[in-house]
């Protein structure tokens, strides 16, 4: 026992000494400045090296306008960084002989149907987790976003979505496939995705501040507030409940807990990484010019993004939740990992990550914050979607029909019913399964109406709705136009049913 204790003590001091070769005070100052430059309310950062957490600190505030500061135990929604937990649970089920990576999904979920019967019959468990079923990136997210649809109801509606490319012939980041994976876990184990994650990962790793259910926030405490970014300001918004679709991104965690997860994932105890870190779906790497990290390959495994980073394997993922963005990045050969969690829509998460990684790896000490902030501002200037729509408005026009004619029930195959009602002289739109998407319609031009949402949303603000008519001015349906990169309202295509 004495020899073992002495060994562990020497190991700890060895890790500390190696970490001391990096100027942690300099990193600390850099992170603080980056947060200010990017105008994010708060973030927390943890760094692991050789099986130990060598840095953990919070920056900024829990909520804009308040004084409470973040720390290493502060909670944030980690969104799609939860996908790695989903793939790990499935890896365990495979190891236990309860499932095979090549099992057909319909074998367990007979109601699983996509755009083509043959494709539906061929999709395997592995296909679900590496985004190669043929759907476009984020296609169908409007089905589950802020809705009360069950996972099974969502899966049964997926057949109405159109593919973007051939089966196994492209990369389309699909949250819907991870919802399906969550139902697969439930069907095989008889327990929910959250219960499986709790029992198989959180409890063994003592990640005791990680939760998957919003009511537990007040029980655990020390949680940050999400923020939308509108008119140049960070605006606090409520949490959104993702528990039903937790397998795509339902965990809420701290950097200290995520540090434990990274240490485990890079340890010899984790046998599943042999499958999880296999490159199954490649992205195009631009080879006509030098890229940031001398990158030669990039792609996706099972719940993880994979690439090379100055000649070393890089494993990571990012996550986007309403008002919170996160990043987990590991260099397994160096037992090095960085996690950044934030409570704003414009965090310096990758700037912080690259600066920290390079400090430990001895690579270039480039000012990533300045560089990436300039790139972000350039992208923002080029995104003129909302400005173009504002400029295209035709003033002085009127609706074709009296307001009452626009009212009624509209049905979207991928979603359900959408109601348009006349209340106090104004048209209102109600999404049957998503009450938080309710909006008042303000006449824009002709038969197009602006959506004035009842509440603020993190991913979009401006949007319009156009009523479609036949040759006899009978309304047949509607089209949505809500410019954003994540929730595609245009996929709804509701038709009028009464």
């Amino acid at each position: 026992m004495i020899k073992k204790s002495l060994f562990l003590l020497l190991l700890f001091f060895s890790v500390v000494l190696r970490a001391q070769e990096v100027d942690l005070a300099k990193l600390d100052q850099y992170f603080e400045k980056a947060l200010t430059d990017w105008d994010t309310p708060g973030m927390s950062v943890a760094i692991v090296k050789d099986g130990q957490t060598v840095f953990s600190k919070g920056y900024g505030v829990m909520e804009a306008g308040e004084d409470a500061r973040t720390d290493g135990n502060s909670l944030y929604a980690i969104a799609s960084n939860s996908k790695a937990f989903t793939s790990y649970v499935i890896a365990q089920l495979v190891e236990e002989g309860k499932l095979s990576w090549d099992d057909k999904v319909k074998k367990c979920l007979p109601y699983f149907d996509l755009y083509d019967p043959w494709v539906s019959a061929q999709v395997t468990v592995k296909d679900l987790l590496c985004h190669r079923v043929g759907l476009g990136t984020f296609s169908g997210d409007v089905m589950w976003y802020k809705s009360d649809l069950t996972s099974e109801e969502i899966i049964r509606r997926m057949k109405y979505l159109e593919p973007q490319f051939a089966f196994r012939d492209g990369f389309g980041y699909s949250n819907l496939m991870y919802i399906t994976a969550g139902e697969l876990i439930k069907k095989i184990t008889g327990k929910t995705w959250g219960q499986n994650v709790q029992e198989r990962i959180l409890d063994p790793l003592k990640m005791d501040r990680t939760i998957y259910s919003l009511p537990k926030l007040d029980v655990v405490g020390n949680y940050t507030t999400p923020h939308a970014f509108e008119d140049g300001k960070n605006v606090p918004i409520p949490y959104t409940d993702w528990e039903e679709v937790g397998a795509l991104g339902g965990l809420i965690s701290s950097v200290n807990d995520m540090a434990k997860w990274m240490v485990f994932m890079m340890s010899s105890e984790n046998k599943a990484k042999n499958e999880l870190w296999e490159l199954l779906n490649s992205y195009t790497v631009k080879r006509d010019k030098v890229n940031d990290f001398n990158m030669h390959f990039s792609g996706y495994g099972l719940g993880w993004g994979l690439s090379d980073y100055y000649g070393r394997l890089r494993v990571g993922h990012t996550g986007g939740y309403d008002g919170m963005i996160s990043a987990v990045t590991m260099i397994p050969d160096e037992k090095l990992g960085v996690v950044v969690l934030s409570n704003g829509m414009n965090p310096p998460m990758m700037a912080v990550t690259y600066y920290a990684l390079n400090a430990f790896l001895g690579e270039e000490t480039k000012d990533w914050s300045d560089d990436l902030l300039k790139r972000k501002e350039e992208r923002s200037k080029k995104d003129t979607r909302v400005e173009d729509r504002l400029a295209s408005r035709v003033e002085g026009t009127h609706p074709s029909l009296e307001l009452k004619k626009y009212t009624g029930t509209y049905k979207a195959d991928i979603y359900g019913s959408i109601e348009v009602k006349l209340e106090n002289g104004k048209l209102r739109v109600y999404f049957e399964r998503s009450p938080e998407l309710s909006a008042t319609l303000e006449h824009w031009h002709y038969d197009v109406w602006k959506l004035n949402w009842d509440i603020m949303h993190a991913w979009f603000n401006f949007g319009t709705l156009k009523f479609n008519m036949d040759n006899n001015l009978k309304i047949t349906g509607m089209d949505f136009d809500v410019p954003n990169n994540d929730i595609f309202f245009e996929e709804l295509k509701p038709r009028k049913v009464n």
Side-chain angles (χ1 to χ4, degrees):
M1 179 64 74
I2 294 176
K3 289 184 178 179
K4 182 179 180 181
S5 299
L6 181 60
F7 171 76
L8 291 174
L9 187 62
L10 290 172
L11 177 63
F12 173 76
F13 280 116
S14 174
V15 171
V16 171
L17 287 173
R18 281 196 292 273
Q20 286 177 345
E21 296 175 4
V22 175
D23 190 342
L24 297 181
K26 184 178 179 180
L27 290 183
D28 181 30
Q29 294 170 4
Y30 189 84
F31 299 162
E32 186 77 58
K33 184 177 185 302
L35 185 75
T36 301
D37 291 344
W38 286 67
D39 191 21
T40 298
M43 71 176 181
S44 295
V45 182
I47 303 171
V48 300
K49 183 74 174 80
D50 297 327
Q52 300 285 340
T53 300
V54 297
F55 184 93
S56 174
K57 187 174 178 182
Y59 300 87
V61 295
M62 308 280 276
E63 180 176 321
E66 301 295 331
D67 295 329
R69 306 281 298 180
T70 64
D71 57 40
N73 285 318
S74 297
L75 296 185
Y76 306 77
I78 69 169
S80 286
N81 277 300
S82 307
K83 286 182 169 68
F85 292 76
T86 301
S87 62
Y88 183 80
V89 170
I90 288 185
Q92 284 195 323
L93 296 178
V94 170
E95 185 179 345
E96 294 164 8
K98 298 175 181 177
L99 191 65
S100 165
W101 289 115
D102 295 320
D103 278 348
K104 302 297 193 293
V105 175
K106 282 186 76 72
K107 172 184 173 182
C108 292
L109 302 177
Y111 54 84
F112 174 79
D113 283 312
L114 293 176
Y115 48 88
D116 178 89
W118 181 85
V119 171
S120 304
Q122 297 303 312
V123 174
T124 66
V125 174
K126 190 174 286 188
D127 292 325
L128 291 181
L129 302 180
C130 68
H131 306 298
R132 64 184 185 189
V133 300
L135 294 178
T137 292
F138 301 147
S139 180
D141 281 2
V142 72
M143 297 162 64
W144 62 265
Y145 181 70
K146 295 189 176 181
S147 83
D148 62 7
L149 289 167
T150 65
S151 295
E152 181 175 335
E153 287 176 316
I154 293 168
I155 295 168
R156 288 183 180 276
R157 287 164 164 78
M158 294 191 307
K159 61 185 177 183
Y160 298 111
L161 292 169
E162 298 178 1
Q164 183 170 315
F165 40 74
F167 178 50
R168 294 181 185 160
D169 191 32
F171 179 86
Y173 187 90
S174 180
N175 285 312
L176 299 184
M177 294 307 107
Y178 272 78
I179 292 175
T180 305
E183 280 300 280
L184 202 60
I185 291 169
K186 183 178 179 180
K187 181 67 179 291
I188 292 171
T189 66
K191 297 178 180 180
T192 67
W193 171 86
Q195 291 169 327
N196 272 279
V197 170
Q198 186 73 52
E199 295 173 9
R200 293 171 176 271
I201 303 175
L202 305 184
D203 289 345
L205 296 185
K206 293 181 169 52
M207 296 175 65
D208 52 14
R209 287 192 55 75
T210 301
I211 61 176
Y212 58 87
S213 183
L214 284 186
K216 294 182 180 179
L217 275 174
D218 286 322
V219 176
V220 178
N222 187 10
Y223 57 90
T224 64
T225 299
H227 294 80
F229 192 76
E230 194 162 291
D231 298 327
K233 295 181 180 179
N234 291 292
V235 183
I237 59 174
Y239 274 83
T240 301
D241 192 344
W242 285 17
E243 185 171 353
E244 175 63 26
V245 294
L248 73 84
L251 289 179
I252 299 171
S253 188
S254 67
V255 294
N256 285 345
D257 266 13
M258 292 301 290
K260 297 174 185 177
W261 171 238
M262 291 191 296
V263 167
F264 170 71
M265 286 304 298
M266 292 186 285
S267 71
S268 58
E269 300 173 37
N270 174 25
K271 307 301 182 184
K273 59 189 173 187
N274 293 324
E275 288 82 26
L276 302 182
W277 295 352
E278 178 186 359
L279 185 66
L280 297 172
N281 204 343
S282 296
Y283 316 144
T284 299
V285 175
K286 294 183 179 180
R287 305 180 188 281
D288 56 339
K289 58 182 180 180
V290 177
N291 57 52
D292 286 328
F293 317 109
N294 192 27
M295 186 187 300
H296 300 88
F297 77 89
S298 181
Y300 205 87
L302 299 173
W304 291 99
L306 305 166
S307 66
D308 57 327
Y309 191 86
Y310 300 111
R312 306 168 179 90
L313 174 65
R314 168 185 167 185
V315 180
H317 214 291
T318 58
Y321 176 87
D322 298 67
M324 294 186 168
I325 308 292
S326 59
V328 174
T329 310
M330 298 178 291
I331 309 296
D333 290 347
E334 303 291 337
K335 295 292 190 293
L336 173 65
V338 179
V339 55
V340 184
L341 307 180
S342 77
N343 63 351
M345 296 298 288
N346 302 298
M349 58 177 189
M350 298 318 301
V352 164
T353 298
Y354 299 150
Y355 193 84
L357 289 179
N358 287 13
F360 278 84
L361 296 174
E363 298 292 348
E364 60 177 333
T365 55
K366 176 179 177 179
D367 186 351
W368 287 103
S369 179
D370 180 69
D371 180 65
L372 295 182
L373 184 56
K374 287 177 179 176
R375 295 191 206 181
K376 173 184 171 294
E377 291 170 346
E378 289 174 2
R379 288 194 302 271
S380 296
K381 289 178 182 178
K382 292 178 180 178
D383 184 1
T384 61
R385 288 175 294 181
V386 174
E387 288 81 357
D388 292 344
R389 285 157 174 78
L390 294 174
S392 298
R393 184 180 188 184
V394 181
E395 300 286 353
T397 65
H398 302 281
S400 300
L401 307 171
E402 60 177 305
L403 297 187
K404 189 175 181 180
K405 295 284 187 178
Y406 297 94
T407 63
T409 301
Y410 298 74
K411 184 179 179 181
D413 289 335
I414 68 168
Y415 174 80
S417 295
I418 298 171
E419 297 280 345
V420 176
K421 299 181 179 180
L422 183 60
E423 298 176 356
N424 300 318
K426 295 183 178 180
L427 292 177
R428 294 265 301 159
V429 61
Y430 294 94
F431 290 74
E432 176 190 26
R433 309 303 296 269
S434 314
E436 292 183 348
L437 295 181
S438 298
T440 298
L441 300 184
E442 174 189 342
H443 184 251
W444 189 245
H445 55 205
Y446 300 106
D447 292 302
V448 178
W449 302 72
K450 181 174 177 287
L451 291 155
N452 291 326
W453 310 102
D454 287 356
I455 64 173
M456 183 177 292
H457 301 286
W459 300 109
F460 51 85
N461 46 34
F462 180 84
T464 58
L465 180 162
K466 177 173 71 71
F467 290 97
N468 300 321
M469 303 179 190
D470 63 16
N471 292 11
N472 301 308
L473 296 184
K474 180 181 178 182
I475 295 178
T476 57
M478 60 172 75
D479 288 325
F480 286 90
D481 180 22
V482 184
N484 74 96
N485 298 324
D486 300 272
I487 311 299
F488 304 148
F489 285 80
E490 62 269 22
E491 289 186 316
L492 291 170
K493 297 180 174 58
R495 64 187 185 280
K496 193 171 185 184
V497 292
N498 67 44

